[in-house]
Amino acid sequence: MEDAAIIGLYWARDEEAIAASDRKYGKLCRSLSRDILDSREDAEECVNDTWQKAWNTMPPQRPNSLRAYLAKITRNLSIDRWRAGRAEKRGNGLTILLDELEEALPAPSAEELTEARETARTIERWLDTISPADRIAFLQRYWYGQRVDMVAKQAGCSSNSMVKRLGRLRDGLRRALEQEGINV
Amino acid sequence: MSERSERLFEALGEIDEGKIDEAAPAEKRVVHWKRWTALAAAFVLVIGAGSYVLPRLGGNAGSAGAGGAGAGSDGASTFMSYAGPVFPLTLREADSAILAEREITLDFAPWIPVWWSNEEEANRDGYTPEQRQETLDMYNEWYPEGGRWKSSTDIRVADAYTLTNTSNEDKTVSVLYPFAGMLNDLENIRPTLTAGGQELETTLYAGQYSGGFQGAWEGWPNRKDNPGSVNLDQPNSWEDFRDRLEDGDYLRSALGEWADLSGVPVTVYQFTDPWGPEPDEEAGVPNPTIRVYFDLDYDRTEVLSYGFNGGSYDRENGRQGKSFSIPRDFWPERSKFPKYLIVLGNDIRNITAQGCVTGGWDDEKTLEAGVTIQRYESNLEDILYTVAQYALREEKDFDLSYGIWKDWLLSYGVLADDPMERYRWGDIEHMDVDIMSRVFYLEAQVTIPAGGSVQLSAEMTKEGSYDFACAHTENRGIYGYDMVTKLGSNLICTGQTAVLEDRGQIRIIRQNFGFDLENGVKQVTLDPSQEHYYLEIKGREDRFGK
């Protein structure tokens, strides 16, 4: 079923919307959540919460990309869940991702510009400057939280090569953030 | 790890949806087939590397063995010859302001017997007076009553929609009407689309083969015991179509551009003007044949051929042979067309042509014969188009057939990533494209006034599904007709009904519609959550008793 039709079902308050979402994007959302939380059970709950949140937000929302919309909800819910759980149990998934991203951080500046939206705009501009292949690899790793070997497979290169490529991309992002004076 | 990297990770969540979409990981491990606007120009290099970037057969449309009476998941039968379901209308671009009411009518009018006289049978075009009399005598002997009752097992389907525009502005929408069938039957099965009673201009698109492949017949009919890809495994249940159409890729590729192969360099060998002696059985020359031999590196070269009858393949010694019978004057025109070897990758070497007494590769007796060989450089698009002028000369819609033909080569033939065993020898005249079950789409433009409605109807002849009589299955004499309610459709359908015009011709054997002929229930409301409806019937025994 096409996205517009699924969105139409949400707007028509037809519960088939959730089944259709799960059929089409359930696998993607589960995988995304599991890569962040490192727990199948927690990921399953996050995905269920995703459908609940989608149901509660459409209408009024009518997203251009249902995939990106649902994935964003899942990602945010997964981060929230990871935060809630880290005091008791530190999940390997996000911990490893964050360790890697540490390298992309510029040295602290005097000004504390911490608005996530502004940071995102800078990241966005930087993403526009790199090649589509690099952009996809970077986002598959740091947006979708995919394992390096999976990202490498989809890019058609070895894991070692992808590790190096991601390292270069993190360096590039750090420089872009520094140039913009962003201190996350 | 710090809170700052955590914030950076979170900030990434705010980026544009388009980029998120672009980077979405592949959801399926199987690469879906699609059409290509261009192929890698570095095809030769790819061949050299021992693997192909060309498309892979997407998904597995295989299915359980045929011939199961009521064996389907919803109680429907799995027929040996499956005509495919009637599909619902869809829109090229989904539009939540357009609502649809559907009424489908299954009309058994073609089942009404008609008297077919022996005279009519004999008066066929093309008979000489002598042949006509001979035929008439024969039929008079068979049917001394002067003729016989005949009827079809097709039905007429009217799939009607009331499309309502709930918005405040007029809308012109592109509607797509899918229908299942084969290229060689297109004229008979192509629906007529009307809106407000006026026939619509339509554009025809063809989807890819909707079935799979299977091995030789041992273990038949259980496909699991039948590995390999020597035989076609046509879809024989609606689920086979569901697996293909459900995620929208099938339709997207059907609407896409055909592959452009002009970036793929080839070396062409054209064979014309063959000559040799007439066949002479007594002289031990039953079938004068031209045998062409050449050397090649099987890992770096792929050879397509057109017009050859036989082949010999010696991978170990890097040798290959192709042969054709020397055409005689009275042979069909196609036997006199040029023959071609189309070489991709490294060129072949040491090509020779030799006359032989038979087409058998184990027969070494030679004879004096010859053929003109011309070698030239070209690209795959040009040479395929040249060959298509011969191979597809009888097709009514050349462009459509040519596109389907290229798809077949790229998806299943020797140009595919994983060629089917059926086509592994490189002969490109295999016309399986004609008989491969697929879904076609008719596209038309319809304007629906703001707040108003338009009546759109697709009318068509629909074949029944059946088991082969000789197989003596439980379903012998039973014909199946089925439909799907939402597969492949983005239309928001507010209601669906089905009408049965039985014309007093049938007995219902199995169904899930809810028709009741005894009690006059011939119109039923369909449950939108029920994806598939089926009707399996037999002709009434008394209908020929006139």
Side-chain angles (χ1 to χ4, degrees):
Chain A
M1 190 180 287
E2 291 198 355
D3 283 2
I6 298 175
I7 293 166
L9 290 172
Y10 277 109
W11 277 65
R13 311 315 289 158
D14 186 335
E15 290 177 10
E16 171 66 16
I18 290 175
S21 300
D22 195 56
R23 271 200 302 273
K24 192 163 183 184
Y25 296 119
K27 190 174 175 185
L28 172 76
C29 292
R30 279 183 189 86
S31 161
L32 196 166
S33 185
R34 203 163 52 243
D35 283 335
I36 291 173
L37 293 168
D38 203 27
S39 157
R40 185 184 296 272
E41 294 74 20
D42 287 351
E44 193 58 46
E45 283 190 31
C46 270
V47 172
N48 286 335
D49 290 348
T50 299
W51 309 144
Q52 179 71 40
K53 193 157 183 177
W55 181 261
N56 290 337
T57 53
M58 289 187 286
Q61 295 291 328
R62 192 184 281 278
N64 289 326
S65 163
L66 184 63
R67 174 166 60 185
Y69 185 74
L70 296 174
K72 260 189 180 184
I73 294 175
T74 303
R75 188 176 190 271
N76 290 338
L77 288 173
S78 302
I79 293 172
D80 289 347
R81 195 175 186 87
W82 177 83
R83 281 187 177 135
R86 69 177 158 180
E88 303 156 17
K89 181 179 111 181
R90 296 178 69 82
N92 282 332
L94 187 55
T95 308
I96 292 166
L97 292 173
L98 297 185
D99 278 344
E100 285 182 26
L101 272 177
E102 187 89 24
E103 299 167 28
L105 291 167
S109 71
E111 296 180 350
E112 291 288 324
L113 300 171
T114 56
E115 283 294 323
R117 201 153 297 210
E118 190 172 341
T119 307
R121 278 200 293 272
T122 305
I123 297 170
E124 196 130 27
R125 281 195 294 276
W126 170 74
L127 286 169
D128 284 333
T129 66
I130 62 180
S131 71
D134 279 348
R135 186 164 61 238
I136 288 168
F138 184 86
L139 290 177
Q140 283 186 345
R141 178 67 181 140
Y142 298 116
W143 202 96
Y144 287 97
Q146 286 228 300
R147 293 200 326 253
V148 172
D149 59 332
M150 297 303 292
V151 178
K153 191 174 177 184
Q154 288 172 82
C157 65
S158 69
S159 295
N160 280 344
S161 154
M162 182 52 71
V163 166
K164 287 176 191 163
R165 188 157 143 194
L166 288 171
R168 281 198 302 275
L169 288 167
R170 289 193 300 267
D171 281 346
L173 175 58
R174 177 174 51 76
R175 284 195 299 274
L177 290 171
E178 281 172 347
Q179 280 167 11
E180 297 282 334
I182 299 287
N183 185 11
V184 185
Chain B
M1 201 271 294
S2 71
E3 282 187 15
R4 294 194 304 143
S5 57
E6 188 180 326
R7 285 202 300 276
L8 182 55
F9 187 78
E10 194 168 19
L12 273 166
E14 298 294 324
I15 67 166
D16 174 61
E17 287 183 350
K19 292 189 176 70
I20 298 167
D21 240 357
E22 177 192 50
E27 289 174 45
K28 294 182 179 176
R29 297 187 66 185
V30 176
V31 178
H32 276 277
W33 170 87
K34 63 180 181 180
R35 291 189 176 134
W36 313 268
T37 51
L39 263 179
F43 188 74
V44 175
L45 182 65
V46 173
I47 282 205
S51 76
Y52 296 43
V53 289
L54 291 169
R56 181 187 293 276
L57 176 62
N60 171 20
S63 56
S73 58
D74 56 1
S77 294
T78 306
F79 287 103
M80 291 174 166
S81 174
Y82 180 50
V86 177
F87 294 101
L89 185 78
T90 187
L91 303 178
R92 187 182 263 263
E93 300 290 339
D95 191 331
S96 54
I98 306 294
L99 303 180
E101 284 268 352
R102 182 188 195 192
E103 181 181 282
I104 185 169
T105 301
L106 310 176
D107 186 351
F108 282 76
W111 280 63
I112 298 172
V114 292
W115 180 254
W116 193 255
S117 73
N118 294 342
E119 290 280 348
E120 284 174 289
E121 196 74 64
N123 283 339
R124 290 183 179 174
D125 289 342
Y127 280 179
T128 63
E130 291 75 25
Q131 286 172 324
R132 184 175 300 121
Q133 188 57 50
E134 194 180 326
T135 305
L136 182 60
D137 291 345
M138 188 176 68
Y139 274 91
N140 281 336
E141 189 178 332
W142 288 349
Y143 304 106
E145 52 282 1
R148 66 196 191 281
W149 292 101
K150 282 171 67 171
S151 80
S152 170
T153 53
D154 295 343
I155 62 170
R156 290 291 297 170
V157 173
D159 195 6
Y161 298 81
T162 303
L163 299 176
T164 301
N165 176 3
T166 61
S167 77
N168 296 323
E169 55 187 24
D170 293 355
K171 278 183 179 277
T172 298
V173 293
S174 287
V175 297
L176 289 161
Y177 192 76
F179 61 101
M182 299 174 184
L183 191 60
N184 68 354
D185 201 24
L186 193 53
E187 274 187 88
N188 298 325
I189 60 172
R190 182 175 178 151
T192 302
L193 294 193
T194 60
Q198 298 291 312
E199 185 169 346
L200 296 170
E201 272 189 35
T202 55
T203 305
L204 179 68
Y205 299 93
Q208 208 197 19
Y209 173 44
S210 47
F213 290 82
Q214 59 188 337
W217 291 112
E218 64 268 22
W220 186 82
N222 189 340
R223 191 169 186 270
K224 287 178 183 168
D225 297 334
N226 202 9
S229 54
V230 174
N231 285 309
L232 295 177
D233 184 18
Q234 303 270 16
N236 57 14
S237 72
W238 80 277
E239 288 98 333
D240 289 345
F241 285 99
R242 180 192 60 195
D243 294 346
R244 288 278 170 165
L245 271 63
E246 175 167 72
D247 64 5
D249 283 352
Y250 187 90
L251 172 59
R252 272 189 288 280
S253 70
L255 299 179
E257 298 291 321
W258 299 114
D260 175 5
L261 306 174
S262 56
V264 182
V266 296
T267 306
V268 178
Y269 292 83
Q270 179 181 276
F271 300 79
T272 53
D273 305 318
W275 57 272
E278 288 288 304
D280 185 345
E281 291 270 4
E282 288 182 6
V285 187
N287 178 20
T289 296
I290 299 288
R291 198 178 288 176
V292 176
Y293 273 115
F294 50 89
D295 296 328
L296 76 163
D297 181 340
Y298 278 86
D299 290 329
R300 304 176 74 85
T301 301
E302 199 66 68
V303 180
L304 308 180
S305 71
Y306 175 74
F308 291 85
N309 314 126
S312 165
Y313 308 88
D314 181 356
R315 192 178 180 94
E316 198 175 321
N317 293 305
R319 191 109 170 109
Q320 192 172 129
K322 294 278 185 183
S323 69
F324 63 90
S325 300
I326 299 170
R328 303 174 68 189
D329 290 344
F330 61 89
W331 282 13
E333 189 189 9
R334 67 173 178 277
S335 66
K336 295 159 192 163
F337 292 150
K339 328 286 182 196
Y340 291 95
L341 293 178
I342 304 166
V343 182
L344 294 95
N346 287 5
D347 198 2
I348 56 178
R349 303 177 304 277
N350 305 325
I351 187 165
T352 59
Q354 171 66 56
C356 297
V357 296
T358 73
W361 292 94
D362 52 351
D363 194 337
E364 295 297 331
K365 278 183 73 179
T366 61
L367 51 72
E368 194 171 336
V371 64
T372 303
I373 305 174
Q374 184 190 358
R375 176 190 179 281
Y376 60 93
E377 309 286 332
S378 184
N379 65 72
L380 191 53
E381 184 70 41
D382 285 353
I383 185 58
L384 285 181
Y385 191 81
T386 300
V387 172
Q389 302 295 321
Y390 300 114
L392 306 175
R393 69 199 176 284
E394 288 170 3
E395 299 296 332
K396 286 197 166 54
D397 187 338
F398 176 86
D399 289 343
L400 182 76
S401 299
Y402 179 52
I404 289 175
W405 193 56
K406 282 197 296 184
D407 269 349
W408 166 75
L409 280 171
L410 291 161
S411 304
Y412 315 109
V414 289
L415 299 179
D417 188 20
D418 184 15
M420 300 298 106
E421 289 173 68
R422 186 177 179 84
Y423 312 122
R424 67 187 181 280
W425 303 125
D427 308 326
I428 59 176
E429 55 264 80
H430 273 290
M431 284 295 99
D432 278 347
V433 290
D434 273 356
I435 57 160
M436 291 172 135
S437 176
R438 64 186 77 241
V439 178
F440 296 91
Y441 295 86
L442 282 178
E443 184 174 41
Q445 307 294 313
V446 180
T447 300
I448 313 169
S453 299
V454 164
Q455 304 292 324
L456 187 144
S457 182
E459 296 186 14
M460 74 204 96
T461 296
K462 186 72 188 162
E463 277 188 351
S465 302
Y466 57 91
D467 277 3
F468 305 120
C470 58
H472 299 286
T473 67
E474 193 185 329
N475 265 349
R476 190 175 185 181
I478 293 177
Y479 291 84
Y481 308 88
D482 61 338
M483 61 171 285
V484 284
T485 54
K486 55 189 176 185
L487 175 61
S489 178
N490 56 25
L491 258 184
I492 299 171
C493 217
T494 53
Q496 299 197 38
T497 56
V499 176
L500 176 61
E501 295 282 2
D502 68 302
R503 309 279 180 173
Q505 300 299 314
I506 59 169
R507 278 194 302 123
I508 296 176
I509 305 298
R510 295 179 203 93
Q511 63 159 331
N512 65 350
F513 279 94
F515 297 125
D516 184 348
L517 293 180
E518 283 185 10
N519 294 302
V521 180
K522 297 185 180 184
Q523 177 161 350
V524 292
T525 301
L526 304 181
D527 175 357
S529 66
Q530 176 84 28
E531 285 194 82
H532 176 239
Y533 281 92
Y534 63 91
L535 175 67
E536 296 175 14
I537 58 97
K538 262 190 168 177
R540 288 171 60 103
E541 285 77 2
D542 58 354
R543 67 200 184 95
F544 291 108
K546 305 190 178 210

